[in-house]
Amino acid sequence: MDNKQPLLTEYPLGDMTLKNRVVMAPLTRSRADNPGKVPNDLMVEYYAQRASAGLIISEGSQISERAVGYINTPGIHTDEQVQGWQKVTEAVHARGGKIFCQLWHVGRMSHPDFHQGELPLSASAINPNSQSFTPEGFKDTVTPKAMTIDEIKQTISDYGQAAKNAMAAGFDGVEIHSSNGYLLHQFFSKTSNHRSDEYGGTIENRAKILFEVIDEIKQHVPENRIGLRLNPSLHGIFGMTLDEESIPTFDYIVKSLNNYDLAYLHLSEPFNDVSDVPYAEPNIAKHYRPLYKGTLMINTGFNRERGNQVIADGLADLVAFGKLFISNPDLVERFAAKAETARWDEDTFYTPGAKGYTDYPVLDPT
């Protein structure tokens, strides 16, 4: 193995040591196709195949029934789900891997079909004008219910319980999904949060729920086993619209995260071209590296060369790969051999069964 590649060097993460800096990004795959949304044996095989990653971040796992927003996505809020995830973590650990559980609440990106006709929850009653993937196919989103203070407090408590469940399931830590237009992101944005109480108005108020979630989770998980994901320049996707306070809000959040001893901050480069979008920050790692004092993970669109370069340039410590890990279970070995990577099949990203999930071949060892 060519360990001179920055991606293939060890990295101290909190009180753990990662065997390399190649992270498997959280990837919704919709294979928990059972009534209890329980991780199954197919998922055990899928994650175990990818255990050579320095760290695996699980697909988003809903923290409660109210958090559900997509079909066949696993949860981390019932005993059966915890037991299902336990099989996954045991298989990953048996192959020398490490795995964090991503904690997920989709908020207004959900649909009444998931909630016995009840409206999904959000910061404010503002339709994202997007689509939800329901059991009957894609449906237009609806105007959500603005959360009461009691519902906010219950959701914060749900995050804590889900984190406790994740540790009981054998995960090495948790990642808070506060990104990609989902519930916590909906509180951050002035275009989706029109509240006039303690969770709305100022930047500090709109960010308040995040820090209350962290404080709740750290009652159950050491701070250095808690990661956090943000997508500051998300625009025109998942119902999100950038405005003049978007980047200042994320600047405030990131600087405030320095008050915690988190495992890492996981940032996404823009999902689409925002070079002509007012208020956007097109270079996320470059912008946030000076603001954050801890471990910085970056993702979106990286390959081996760009991943090595961003670490060599000092702009990130870890690089998360998504689609490349779908089609290359042995991605680390391919990087080490500087081998070709296989192309993914988008038609099977969210379909049931092994096809396009556990059937991607590994390199011939010869």
Side-chain angles (χ1 to χ4, degrees), residues 11-327:
Y11 185 77
L13 188 72
D15 58 351
M16 303 184 297
T17 299
L18 305 186
K19 56 193 174 185
N20 57 64
R21 301 178 189 224
V22 180
V23 177
M24 178 174 160
L27 295 159
T28 300
R29 302 305 309 276
S30 299
R31 258 55 178 205
D33 51 346
N34 57 74
K37 304 180 183 69
V38 176
N40 52 35
D41 290 345
L42 195 62
M43 293 170 62
V44 173
E45 181 183 359
Y46 168 77
Y47 282 106
Q49 286 176 342
R50 290 154 178 80
S52 59
L55 176 66
I56 293 172
I57 306 170
S58 83
E59 62 208 276
S61 302
Q62 48 262 2
I63 61 170
S64 67
E65 276 300 320
R66 292 298 274 147
V68 178
Y70 295 87
I71 63 167
N72 301 334
T73 53
I76 187 67
H77 58 91
T78 71
D79 290 343
E80 293 75 22
Q81 291 165 353
V82 170
Q83 291 162 14
W85 276 121
Q86 205 160 23
K87 296 177 184 177
V88 172
T89 62
E90 287 172 356
V92 169
H93 291 151
R95 296 198 184 185
K98 291 184 168 58
I99 182 168
F100 275 34
C101 180
Q102 192 190 56
L103 307 179
W104 197 25
H105 192 310
V106 311
R108 67 180 188 170
M109 292 303 295
S110 188
H111 191 276
D113 286 4
F114 291 107
H115 307 293
Q116 292 78 50
E118 289 188 43
L119 294 174
L121 301 174
S122 188
S124 296
I126 301 169
N127 192 332
N129 295 314
S130 186
Q131 288 200 312
S132 176
F133 188 20
T134 78
E136 297 175 5
F138 282 100
K139 291 188 178 183
D140 291 340
T141 54
V142 301
T143 301
K145 177 185 184 292
M147 296 171 77
T148 64
I149 295 293
D150 284 348
E151 286 169 332
I152 290 172
K153 298 300 185 188
Q154 179 60 55
T155 299
I156 292 168
S157 177
D158 290 342
Y159 272 101
Q161 183 61 50
K164 184 179 180 181
N165 292 346
M167 301 310 281
F171 283 99
D172 297 293
V174 299
E175 177 178 286
I176 304 167
H177 196 351
S178 39
S179 183
N180 297 2
Y182 296 123
L183 181 68
L184 297 177
H185 198 166
Q186 292 158 29
F187 273 85
F188 304 157
S189 174
K190 207 167 68 168
T191 61
S192 51
N193 182 346
H194 290 181
R195 303 179 73 93
S196 57
D197 61 10
E198 62 189 291
Y199 293 99
T202 65
I203 286 174
E204 293 80 5
N205 282 4
R206 284 184 274 117
K208 180 179 178 179
I209 188 173
L210 174 65
F211 297 104
E212 291 185 344
V213 166
I214 296 173
D215 290 341
E216 179 68 25
I217 288 175
K218 73 180 194 180
Q219 304 303 312
H220 309 286
V221 182
E223 277 188 31
N224 64 7
R225 298 294 185 103
I226 301 171
L228 180 79
R229 189 177 187 189
L230 298 171
N231 192 340
S233 279
L234 186 70
H235 178 76
I237 307 173
F238 297 115
M240 284 289 113
T241 303
L242 290 172
D243 61 63
E244 73 280 5
E245 287 190 5
S246 297
I247 295 302
T249 298
F250 285 102
D251 289 355
Y252 166 77
I253 289 171
V254 170
K255 289 175 184 176
S256 299
L257 291 173
N258 288 317
N259 298 323
Y260 295 85
D261 180 29
L262 297 182
Y264 60 80
L265 172 61
H266 181 182
L267 297 176
S268 297
E269 294 288 354
F271 283 0
N272 50 356
D273 183 6
V274 295
S275 53
D276 294 329
V277 177
Y279 315 122
E281 171 50 63
N283 300 297
I284 295 298
K286 189 176 290 185
H287 178 84
Y288 285 103
R289 184 63 174 201
L291 301 186
Y292 187 61
K293 308 309 178 191
T295 293
L296 190 66
M297 182 189 301
I298 193 69
N299 92 19
T300 309
F302 284 88
N303 56 19
R304 183 180 67 83
E305 293 81 2
R306 289 188 60 222
N308 280 316
Q309 193 63 53
V310 74
I311 294 174
D313 290 345
L315 294 178
D317 303 298
L318 304 168
V319 183
F321 298 86
K323 292 175 182 175
L324 276 177
F325 252 121
I326 289 176
S327 52

